[in-house]
Amino acid sequence: MRFDVLTIFPRMVEAPLSDGIVQKARDAGIVELRVHDLRGHTDDKHRSVDDAPFGGGPGMVMKAEPILRAFEAIWPEGRNDRGAVVLLTPRGRRFDQATARRYAGLERLFLLCGRYEGIDERVPGLLGAEELSLGDFVLTGGEVAALAVIEATVRLLPGALGDQASAEADSFTAGMLDWPHYARPAVVRGSSVPEVLLSGDHAKVRLWRRREALRATRERRPDLLQAARLSPEDERLLREIEDEGTPRKDGMGPGEGRALDKQATLLHK
């Protein structure tokens, strides 16, 4: 898959992607990443990419022509149904895991990083660009958002992760948040791993993980549950969670924090 990023600050994009999963995917030939300096497509001695807005007001607006020329030079054959042009903007639709999965099924993604007050409104229309936002907040530019889109997409590509099952178990993949995770040792400063995870009983572990994923989603993102496809088992687990009353703040199920509570009591004696 190929990514093209158009920005006035190439180093902001290149440096963070030179390590980690994205760089490994590049080394393996899974991903091709090209970062383009928008100023290289200007036509004046000052390499201007912005101008005052029509109608007056504060700030500057990124001009259309340099962006259009850049796109035509980078993607001369034009966008097709195996690629997408994406403008990173606070006005866009919120980026989510489903969108990352859709992008991972494409061959090419062209990311436009806005700056200042935004990009000339004619650009997304002329390029057929999707407008995308990370959330309900404003960044100085689209570079950080582009990095998030690239990493979220790359890790879904076959071969990008050492264990593809880890991507399949991520938060949002099944329409809800992930379950809690623990690593050795079993006790850290009096805080213990839930007993079920030490039992070796895979069926119980699977059930515990599903319950805790449902619990976390219910507590933190109940909106996700409204759209999630819940199995009869999920519905039963949710009823059990609701019957428990006030959920534990540590995310453990009933009885699973008893050892922790006991150790905490001993420590305070």
Side-chain angles (χ1 to χ4, degrees):
M1 181 176 184
R2 172 169 165 172
F3 293 86
D4 290 281
V5 183
L6 186 62
T7 171
I8 60 172
F9 295 116
R11 288 183 298 177
M12 285 189 66
V13 178
E14 291 168 344
L17 297 178
S18 63
D19 289 301
I21 290 172
V22 175
Q23 184 58 46
K24 290 180 179 177
R26 295 171 74 181
D27 293 340
I30 298 170
V31 168
E32 181 182 358
L33 175 65
R34 300 186 185 183
V35 182
H36 309 272
D37 188 346
L38 177 60
R39 294 191 188 277
H41 298 274
T42 55
D43 59 0
D44 66 300
K45 66 178 182 179
H46 300 294
R47 305 178 76 200
S48 303
V49 297
D50 61 318
D51 206 340
F54 278 114
M60 303 290 278
V61 175
M62 296 185 75
K63 298 192 293 184
E65 200 57 50
I67 296 172
L68 297 174
R69 279 199 297 267
F71 179 81
E72 290 164 355
I74 296 164
W75 202 346
E77 67 275 23
R79 181 177 60 85
N80 55 39
D81 58 2
R82 297 295 297 158
V85 180
V86 178
L87 168 59
L88 288 314
T89 169
R91 294 177 55 195
R93 182 175 53 82
R94 184 177 296 183
F95 182 57
D96 56 20
Q97 190 72 4
T99 305
R101 193 178 303 112
R102 175 165 62 87
Y103 288 165
L106 300 176
E107 295 177 353
R108 191 166 182 177
L109 203 59
F110 191 100
L111 301 169
L112 303 175
C113 300
R115 281 267 156 180
Y116 313 120
E117 293 301 309
I119 287 177
D120 187 302
E121 186 70 16
R122 290 165 289 190
V123 169
L126 290 169
L127 296 184
E130 304 179 20
E131 298 190 32
L132 206 65
S133 170
L134 289 190
D136 298 338
F137 53 88
V138 179
L139 298 168
T140 305
E143 287 77 14
V144 171
L147 292 172
V149 170
I150 291 169
E151 182 162 323
T153 302
V154 168
R155 65 193 318 278
L156 296 176
L157 297 176
L161 296 179
D163 183 357
Q164 194 62 30
S166 62
E168 296 168 1
D170 284 339
S171 289
F172 308 111
T173 299
M176 61 184 64
L177 303 182
D178 200 1
W179 56 76
H181 295 271
Y182 299 86
R184 293 182 177 83
V187 180
V188 176
R189 301 191 182 190
S191 180
S192 64
V193 174
E195 296 173 9
V196 65
L197 299 181
L198 306 175
S199 68
D201 189 323
H202 297 296
K204 288 184 178 179
V205 169
R206 184 199 65 79
L207 196 63
W208 179 88
R209 286 175 169 170
R210 189 62 177 177
R211 179 190 294 116
E212 296 311 308
L214 288 162
R215 186 194 307 278
T217 308
R218 178 177 177 269
E219 290 178 17
R220 303 171 191 179
R221 290 292 305 276
D223 56 300
L224 294 177
L225 284 180
Q226 296 176 6
R229 294 182 179 179
L230 301 178
S231 67
E233 179 182 79
D234 291 335
E235 293 174 353
R236 176 178 61 79
L237 292 172
L238 277 172
R239 287 194 297 270
E240 291 178 4
I241 293 168
E242 292 168 0
D243 290 343
E244 291 170 9
T246 304
R248 294 181 60 94
K249 291 182 179 180
D250 55 18
M252 295 181 184
E256 291 157 357
R258 291 173 186 165
L260 171 58
D261 294 339
K262 182 177 179 181
Q263 289 166 3
T265 300
L266 292 173
L267 286 170
H268 286 85
K269 281 186 177 181

